[in-house]
Each structure stands twice: as structure tokens, then as C-alpha cells.
Amino acid sequence: MLRILITACLFAAAFVMAVVGHAQISIDITKSEIDPTRIAIPEFIGQGAGASPYNVDIPNVISADLERSGLFEPLDRAAFIETQSTIDYEPTWQSWRVINAEVLVSGRVIEQDEMTITVEYRLWDIYGNRQLDAARLRTPKDNWRRIAHKISDRIYTALTGEAGYFDSRIVYVAEDGPKTQRRKRLSIMDQDGANQVYLVSGSDLVLTPRFHPSEQRIAFLSYETGRPDVFLMDITTGNRERLGRFDGMTTSPQFSPDGDTLLMTRIINGDSDIFSYDLSSRKLTALTRSSGIDTSPSYSPDGRNIVFNSSRGGSRQLYVMSAAGRNVKRISFGSGQYTAPAWSPRGDKIAFTKSEGGRFHIGVMNADGSNEKLLTSSYLDEGPTWSPNGRVLLFSREPRGGQSGIYSVDLTGRNLRRVATLGAASDPAWGPTLK
Amino acid sequence: MSLKKLSIVTLAGVAMTLGACATKPKEKIQTVQRPVQSEAPRSTAPPIMETGPMQETQIAPPLMQGPIPGSIQDFVERAGDRVFFGYDQDTLSPQAMQVLRAQASWLQNYPGAVIIIGGHADERGTREYNLALGARRAEAVKSFLVGQSIAPNRMSTVSYGKERPIDGRSTEEAWALNRNGHTAIVSGTNS
């Protein structure tokens, strides 16, 4: 059902102009205070009767993507002076400078045939007098949102030097019903909250979905058999399978970075320990053997280490061990209790949930436990998951006595926002960028 | 049979009530006169009730039905199906042990009964940690029952973490109720 027919090619930079004394525009997203870049995104030019409404909808989605990132301030179209009739000539720089636009996105939508559109786009540096990026993308019409997200990703990359994350999806648990009889259903949506669909019909309790690092597959926990078991599901086909037939319960699945191994917690006689499960050989290997609770494992992006949560020392703390279960080292030493760690795809940071003084926080620390920083605070924040580029975190927030929802926050602690879901939602897992 | 037993209990109750009446000296039913209107009522005077002549008749036993011995309801009422835990704890309190001893003795009386023990946690913890904690609570219940000579093959455990609270509020009282081990009889009952 996923049609990945997008073809992208760089235009030859048709008009490379001499840079007139201005530094190249670039955004440093690591700073904790950011002045959003003022970006002009006019409606795209439509070519062919069927180019509408995509010539308006696509720039609108790009605008919303960039605004949500907190790094951009899309400008009001009513203030625009120039209306480009072609995107193949330079814009009139001055008419964009007077409205203080720093960058301009111009585009054209061409109806290729009844089913297909081609979208061309150019990104201009208004003060550098030059084109920063250009691309042509083609897709079936009903896949138009992905074109918009692909362009958003290109703009983000051109201006920050980092990979984008807009063309990605989020799997989560949709909730409804009273708290004592909550119904929970696996759901998936685009990163911007569009195209929300349920993945399973909803008679069994499901929890903690996790995305495969590169494919449209997930692991999750289901009570289909009456107790918690880890299941795998191929999102494109809907096929799912229970992972093995183990004694006891299995929880907390997490894929290895190469996608070949699944970490999970196996609970036998009340004792929770971390295991790795080789998805091709179907071999299960015990990695921890403590009598306390060991759970919520997460691989480092190089696959060499695992961070997990353990109560072996008497309180809930984070520990790192090798992928073979050796060299266990405690890394959390602050006050409070630490659970649900998630290793950043960039490798340098570990996000976690911390409870202290009756409040819950999402925080980040360096992989060695140093430089702890709390990003959020509420009655109940939990379960961080990283954007594919390691710059944004999603997590569940449940206000006291209220409905839970999914929130996003930047690695720097800025730009806290609620992610639009159809109803109450929890347990987000951010998938890889689509191909 | 149980109905008959119930009737006996109820009749005994009625007899006791009558017995209590009988300890009072018998006196004639008298009609109390209203106070004379001209007399100013004392503000502290108790209200005077007017009663008519009384007649004693036997009241039929209530139509309430008690639990059938050996049924799930019987287990819940006679033993108790839930034990409660402290915050982030999986050790059994003396009260919990008392309930579990009653559960064990009930289970010994009905050796065909098979149970599932569910472990539950309150909402103030992360999901996966609470699943692990719930499993420890269920296991604590199971171990105690094994210690009371209940065969392990009659029991299984499941953890629900914080997913199935019995009280949906976010209060101390609700949290205390939601930290529990629940013994559910799944088969072998005289339902």
C-alpha cells in the first residue's frame, strides 16, 4: 500500500550567482535559544488542470512541517510582493528582502497524467542571492503529502546540515474508554499526525510498539494469549506473528540497529531479565541474571552496547552493558528514579524518564551518564523515543486525572508541543525516514 | 441445600431479635396523650411520638441468596480475592498474608479450582517497569500459596502493570487500591 515512486533529482544549479558579501545562511540547531528563520513559501505554480489543489496543499504542508520544527517562521503570504510566474528564473531579491524573508521556497506542480504529478522546487537564499537546493519529485497524486515532507526534509537539511525527519511515521497506542476499562489499539500516522489508521482491530490489550530501524515493521506487546507476549508485525501487509513460545511473559521489545536482533524482557517466576533474540536463527540469549527488575533495554546505534533500567541496587537506575551482557556499569547517579531509557540514533545521548518528588520528567544525559538535563516536567511524562535524526523526542504525557497524549520536545528542551492524534494516545515510537 | 441453611441462619437472627425484645419488662401498650395546648413547650423537651397499639407478626426471611459454596462469589466473600502492596513494593503485609491463608484454605476445600494471579501497579511508574513490578507481586502471591501447600500447577501468573486499575482516579486512595495481587478462579468452581 505504500507507494514509494518518488524520484528525486537535483537540478543543475541553473543560476549560480556570485555571493555578494553575505555569509551563507545556516541554522545552528544545537543552541538552546533560536531565532526562527523567516521563510517565504508562496503557493506553487500549477501546470495542468489537475495540478490543483496540490499546488496549494503541498506548500501548506511544507509550511506546517517547518513551523512545527520550531526552527522556522513561515511568513504571511498576504505580505508577499512578488508573484513568480516561473521558478526557473531568480526571484527579485529585493522584493523578498523588504519583507525580511531570509529564504524563499518556490515550486511548480505539473499534472503528469490522470494519476501522477511532478513537483519541482527551488530553495533560495535571499541575502546570499543564490539557489541553495532544487529537486524534481514525481508521485501518484494520492501520495502527495510525502512529496511535501520530502521537500521539507530537503529544506531542513540545506539549512541545518542535518538529516530531516518529516517523511517518517509514528506508531503509537490509541486509547479510549474509562480508565478502568481502557481500550488500547495500535495505530500509525504520518509524523505530522495525518493519515491516522488503526493497525489491529482492538479486542486485545496492546502496548509499547517499537519501530524497526529501517523497514516498515514493528514489534509490540499484546495480551492476545491472555498474558503479555512480544509480537512482530509487517505494517505494509498487516501480517503479524507471536515471537517464539517462551515460558513466562515477554515485554519491552527493541530492535538492534541492523534490525536482525530483538532485545526484550523475559519474566520467569516474577524475575525480569533482558534477553536478545536472533530473528533469523531464533536463538534466545540471556544478557542479565540479576534478581532485581531488569527491563527497558535499548541498543547504542553502533549495536555494541545496551542501556537498560534495573532495580538491582535497590532503586531504579540506568545501567550500560556490552551487547553480550558484560561490563555492566551504572550511569545514573542523580536524585530520583530513572527508567525507560532510549539511546539516541546519534550515539552521544541517552534519553530517559525520571521520577522525583512526585513529578515525572523526560531528560537526556551523555552516554556515560554525565551532563544530565531535564527537558520536561509533569504529573506523568514517560517513554521517550527519538526522531530519526536524533534532534527531537516524542513521549507520552498524562495529566493528573486526564487523558494521555503524545508530545514532542527538542533535544535542547525547546519547542514542547502536543502531537495531534484523533483521541487519547500513548507509547509513541518514531519510525525511520521513508525511502 | 444452601437455601435451607440460609433460612436457618435467618430464623436464628429473627429469634435473637425477639429474644432481645423479651429481656425488656412486658408492659401494656399505652397511648400517650398530646400535651395540653396552653402549656408552653419546653425548648429542650424531647419530641413526643404518638404510637398506636402494636402488633407483633413474624417477618418472612429475606429473599436474598448467598453465594453458592465453592463458587467464585463464595471465594471472594469468604477468602477475599485481592491483596494490596505498598508503593514500589512486592512484599506481603500481615493483612495480605491473612487473606492469602484464607485463600489457601478455600482452595484446599475445593481442590478442583484453578487460579490465575494478576499483578497490578498504580499509575506512577513507567509502563515496562510496572509490568515487571506487577509480575513480582503476582509471584509473591503465588509463592505464598505454594507455601500453604497449594500445588503450583493449579496457579498461573500474569502481570497487567498499570493497565487495569480498579479505581480510575489519581488519588492516594486509588493508588493504594490499584497496587494489588488479584486471585481469579478460572475453572473448577461450583458456579
Side-chain angles (χ1 to χ4, degrees):
Chain A
M1 92 156 266
L2 232 196
R3 261 161 301 181
I4 309 171
L5 273 174
I6 292 179
T7 57
C9 67
L10 277 168
F11 278 18
F15 304 96
V16 181
M17 300 297 292
V19 179
V20 283
H22 286 284
Q24 179 187 339
I25 183 162
S26 73
I27 304 170
D28 180 1
I29 61 179
T30 61
K31 288 193 298 188
S32 56
E33 286 304 321
I34 283 184
D35 211 5
T37 297
R38 293 168 60 85
I39 186 166
I41 311 175
E43 289 181 4
F44 285 8
I45 297 160
Q47 195 171 307
S52 171
Y54 308 106
N55 64 315
V56 178
D57 292 344
I58 288 171
N60 285 350
V61 168
I62 295 169
S63 181
D65 278 346
L66 297 176
E67 192 278 329
R68 236 181 10 263
S69 76
L71 304 177
F72 297 88
E73 180 192 347
L75 302 178
D76 183 357
R77 285 180 190 147
F80 296 174
I81 297 161
E82 182 181 35
T83 305
Q84 287 181 291
S85 55
T86 171
I87 65 164
D88 299 329
Y89 291 90
E90 282 185 7
T92 313
W93 304 111
Q94 190 54 33
S95 61
W96 297 102
R97 281 184 201 142
V98 296
I99 60 165
N100 295 319
E102 295 171 82
V103 280
L104 166 68
V105 177
S106 38
R108 176 164 52 208
V109 176
I110 303 151
E111 183 182 34
Q112 210 68 40
D113 53 51
E114 222 162 89
M115 304 294 290
T116 320
I117 49 170
T118 294
V119 181
E120 295 168 348
Y121 114 100
R122 293 179 191 274
L123 179 66
W124 310 97
D125 177 356
I126 299 299
Y127 289 89
N129 290 3
R130 61 194 192 112
Q131 176 180 288
L132 291 170
D133 185 36
R136 178 184 294 129
L137 307 102
R138 189 169 62 221
T139 191
K141 283 177 177 174
D142 59 4
N143 203 29
W144 66 272
R145 293 189 76 93
R146 286 203 52 207
I147 291 251
H149 296 317
K150 281 265 182 249
I151 293 172
S152 300
D153 280 340
R154 294 190 72 101
I155 295 168
Y156 184 96
T157 301
L159 292 169
T160 67
E162 306 261 345
Y165 56 84
F166 301 109
D167 190 26
S168 61
R169 303 203 284 180
I170 294 162
V171 64
Y172 67 100
V173 173
E175 303 189 1
D176 63 279
K179 210 161 166 182
T180 49
Q181 284 169 298
R182 190 73 111 209
R183 180 164 64 153
K184 295 199 168 190
R185 290 185 279 179
L186 272 187
S187 301
I188 191 163
M189 62 186 178
D190 294 351
Q191 149 282 139
D192 62 351
N195 297 321
Q196 302 196 25
V197 286
Y198 298 117
L199 290 175
V200 283
S201 55
S203 53
D204 305 304
L205 177 62
V206 290
L207 302 169
T208 62
R210 298 287 154 68
F211 245 111
H212 187 281
S214 54
E215 297 164 14
Q216 293 296 300
R217 293 167 71 196
I218 56 169
F220 61 102
L221 184 159
S222 171
Y223 281 76
E224 191 174 304
T225 66
R227 57 172 204 181
D229 295 304
V230 171
F231 281 69
L232 292 176
M233 179 190 262
D234 182 328
I235 293 171
T236 48
T237 63
N239 291 339
R240 66 198 161 121
E241 59 157 323
R242 186 175 149 202
L243 196 75
R245 296 284 186 276
F246 308 120
D247 291 340
M249 301 169 246
T250 50
T251 71
S252 318
Q254 192 75 254
F255 285 97
S256 61
D258 62 10
D260 296 341
T261 305
L262 201 69
L263 290 176
M264 60 185 168
T265 303
R266 188 176 169 200
I267 309 175
I268 301 170
N269 298 333
D271 185 22
S272 299
D273 281 303
I274 292 163
F275 286 71
S276 65
Y277 183 75
D278 186 311
L279 290 170
S280 46
S281 73
R282 308 254 141 183
K283 189 170 164 251
L284 191 68
T285 308
L287 300 180
T288 68
R289 294 171 199 283
S290 88
S291 59
I293 290 172
D294 292 335
T295 191
S296 299
S298 171
Y299 271 110
S300 62
D302 62 8
R304 288 186 182 167
N305 293 294
I306 294 166
V307 62
F308 64 102
N309 149 219
S310 178
S311 66
R312 62 185 63 197
S315 64
R316 288 164 265 174
Q317 301 293 341
L318 303 183
Y319 293 77
V320 169
M321 63 182 173
S322 76
R326 284 193 270 278
N327 302 324
V328 183
K329 246 187 348 201
R330 180 171 158 185
I331 61 161
S332 62
F333 290 96
S335 54
Q337 309 261 330
Y338 298 79
T339 49
W343 211 310
S344 156
R346 303 165 70 90
D348 55 340
K349 298 280 182 191
I350 289 169
F352 54 85
T353 307
K354 176 170 175 164
S355 66
E356 187 182 17
R359 306 272 300 170
F360 279 78
H361 311 271
I362 302 299
V364 290
M365 57 173 62
N366 291 348
D368 63 2
S370 63
N371 207 9
E372 177 179 323
K373 184 180 176 187
L374 299 183
L375 308 178
T376 73
S377 175
S378 90
Y379 173 67
L380 185 47
D381 284 352
E382 72 167 289
T385 177
W386 293 92
S387 63
N389 72 351
R391 284 293 171 195
V392 183
L393 288 157
L394 293 176
F395 60 96
S396 298
R397 168 170 287 183
E398 189 174 326
R400 188 167 186 160
Q403 298 279 346
S404 61
I406 297 172
Y407 285 74
S408 72
V409 68
D410 285 8
L411 171 59
T412 54
R414 283 183 306 109
N415 202 29
L416 175 73
R417 287 171 189 241
R418 178 154 191 174
V419 178
T421 48
L422 292 176
S426 58
D427 290 4
W430 207 321
T433 45
L434 297 164
K435 293 182 183 87
Chain B
M1 172 198 162
S2 69
L3 249 179
K4 188 178 164 192
K5 187 176 167 189
L6 225 193
S7 305
I8 293 165
V9 172
T10 315
L11 285 174
V14 170
M16 276 174 66
T17 313
L18 293 176
C21 285
T23 59
K24 285 183 177 174
K26 278 259 179 187
E27 53 184 348
K28 278 188 178 173
I29 306 297
Q30 44 177 210
T31 305
V32 179
Q33 298 295 322
R34 285 174 182 279
V36 180
Q37 284 296 319
S38 62
E39 227 178 60
R42 288 175 301 164
S43 59
T44 53
I48 295 163
M49 302 266 287
E50 190 178 359
T51 58
M54 281 209 293
Q55 230 188 339
E56 286 178 359
T57 51
Q58 188 139 325
I59 300 167
L63 296 172
M64 189 186 75
Q65 188 177 346
I68 298 165
S71 67
I72 291 172
Q73 195 57 32
D74 184 48
F75 174 75
V76 172
E77 288 187 15
R78 282 173 53 197
D81 62 340
R82 258 179 231 276
V83 295
F84 300 94
F85 293 86
Y87 176 65
D88 202 21
Q89 296 298 310
D90 55 60
T91 48
L92 296 167
S93 66
Q95 297 94 306
M97 290 183 193
Q98 201 177 328
V99 171
L100 294 179
R101 279 189 205 100
Q103 287 188 5
S105 101
W106 191 96
L107 289 167
Q108 270 149 3
N109 287 340
Y110 301 99
V114 174
I115 60 172
I116 287 185
I117 303 157
H120 300 268
D122 74 31
E123 65 191 8
R124 297 167 307 156
T126 44
R127 206 171 308 289
E128 290 171 347
Y129 181 84
N130 277 356
L131 284 168
L133 180 60
R136 290 175 79 89
R137 287 176 176 162
E139 188 65 24
V141 170
K142 182 183 171 182
S143 299
F144 190 89
L145 293 176
V146 169
Q148 299 290 308
S149 307
I150 305 301
N153 63 10
R154 293 173 64 189
M155 297 181 263
S156 57
T157 57
V158 60
S159 176
Y160 287 99
K162 58 177 170 177
E163 305 308 318
R164 289 286 178 264
I166 53 175
D167 188 326
R169 296 170 304 156
S170 296
T171 61
E172 287 287 352
E173 191 189 350
W175 298 328
L177 286 171
N178 293 336
R179 296 188 295 262
N180 67 75
H182 178 236
T183 304
I185 299 183
V186 287
S187 64
T189 60
N190 304 340
S191 60

